[in-house]
């Protein structure tokens, strides 16, 4: 009995250690799968911890913003990437979607313009929110970035086409008004001439 109790405890410890190792291996496999899925996504994904430090980003996020996201503090993103609203107003650091998500806010499809170092513009639709544990604690934030530059360009082309069509319609309406006026003047002239010719006849 004296030898059995420590042997049972050692055996239980060995079983717990083995199950812990299995859980670690399973967690490593899940993390690998998660990373593979993130890297295959067409949208950019960025995860930060509760202090705003980058924990994970996928390839698309790095393509959209640049490799600086891995080292640049969140407060400097607005100035570095020239992030503005669609109206052209530069975002203040506190307005950055990830910083707002760290404060508990949730954003859905907010569109911002990002300028690269060489001057090209991209329209990014962003959705951000806090990462909440099962216990209800906020443990960081996540953001999803979607490049909507093509859609924006297409919408701009449609707006331009609609403006052009409206302008053409106004020109045609003016032409129709002039035609109506000319027809009215012609009818008036013919009526007057008919009257003037009938009188002497």
């Amino acid at each position: 009995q004296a030898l059995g109790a420590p042997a049972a405890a050692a055996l239980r410890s060995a079983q717990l250690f083995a199950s812990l190792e299995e859980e670690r291996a399973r967690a490593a496999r899940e993390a690998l799968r998660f990373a593979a899925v993130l890297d295959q996504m067409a949208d950019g994904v960025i995860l930060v911890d509760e202090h705003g430090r980058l924990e994970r980003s996928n390839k698309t996020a790095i393509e959209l913003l640049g490799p600086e996201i891995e080292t640049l503090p969140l407060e400097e993103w607005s100035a570095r990437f020239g992030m503005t609203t669609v109206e052209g107003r530069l975002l203040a650091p506190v307005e950055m979607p990830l910083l707002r998500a760290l404060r508990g806010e949730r954003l859905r499809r907010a569109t911002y313009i990002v300028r690269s170092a060489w001057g090209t513009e991209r329209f990014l639709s962003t959705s951000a929110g806090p990462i909440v544990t099962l216990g209800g604690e906020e443990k960081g934030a996540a953001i999803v970035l979607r490049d909507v530059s093509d859609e924006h360009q297409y919408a701009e082309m449609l707006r331009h086409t609609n403006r052009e069509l409206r302008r053409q319609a106004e020109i045609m309406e003016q032409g129709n008004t002039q035609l109506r006026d000319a027809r009215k003047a012609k009818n008036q002239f013919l009526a007057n001439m008919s009257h003037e010719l009938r009188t002497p006849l």
Side-chain angles (χ1 to χ4, degrees):
Q1 247 183 350
L3 290 172
L11 187 60
R12 182 71 183 135
S13 295
Q15 287 173 337
L16 288 173
F17 183 75
S19 67
L20 183 63
E21 285 302 310
E22 284 175 22
E23 282 300 311
R24 278 191 186 144
R26 192 179 68 75
R29 282 194 308 273
E30 289 301 317
L32 195 62
R33 284 190 186 131
F34 178 66
V37 169
L38 275 185
D39 280 337
Q40 293 304 315
M41 290 179 66
D43 293 340
V45 178
I46 300 171
L47 306 172
V48 295
D49 65 14
E50 61 266 29
H51 304 294
R53 290 187 298 261
L54 187 103
E55 286 187 333
R56 177 169 280 287
S57 62
N58 67 352
K59 290 177 185 174
T60 308
I62 292 170
E63 287 169 9
L64 290 173
L65 297 177
E68 301 96 329
I69 61 172
E70 296 181 345
T71 54
L72 198 67
L74 287 180
E75 294 79 13
E76 296 176 26
W77 283 25
S78 176
R80 168 62 190 86
F81 303 125
M83 290 186 79
T84 61
T85 61
V86 177
E87 295 79 27
R89 183 180 58 78
L90 187 69
L91 280 186
V94 292
E95 294 177 290
M96 288 293 298
L98 267 174
L99 289 174
R100 291 173 63 183
L102 283 171
R103 294 194 301 268
E105 292 182 52
R106 291 189 180 277
L107 284 84
R108 293 278 186 267
R109 293 185 288 280
T111 303
Y112 301 103
I113 301 172
V114 174
R115 285 175 182 81
S116 68
W118 48 93
T120 57
E121 284 186 351
R122 280 187 168 152
F123 288 79
L124 298 182
S125 174
T126 63
S127 295
I131 298 171
V132 182
T133 65
L134 292 173
E137 289 182 83
E138 291 182 3
K139 288 290 185 183
I143 187 170
V144 177
L145 309 164
R146 175 170 290 175
D147 190 346
V148 291
S149 302
D150 291 342
E151 290 91 334
H152 181 79
Q153 190 175 13
Y154 180 67
E156 195 57 44
M157 278 178 16
L158 280 177
R159 279 194 289 273
H160 175 72
T161 304
N162 285 339
R163 279 195 300 269
E164 192 60 31
L165 285 172
R166 277 196 296 272
R167 191 177 71 76
Q168 292 294 334
E170 286 169 9
I171 290 170
M172 287 180 70
E173 185 57 38
Q174 288 173 357
N176 285 341
T177 304
Q178 289 171 353
L179 279 172
R180 279 195 297 270
D181 292 345
R183 195 179 300 118
K184 190 189 244 181
K186 178 192 80 168
N187 291 341
Q188 186 66 42
F189 172 76
L190 288 175
N192 287 343
M193 284 304 293
S194 173
H195 177 71
E196 292 298 325
L197 285 171
R198 256 197 325 267
T199 302
L201 284 171

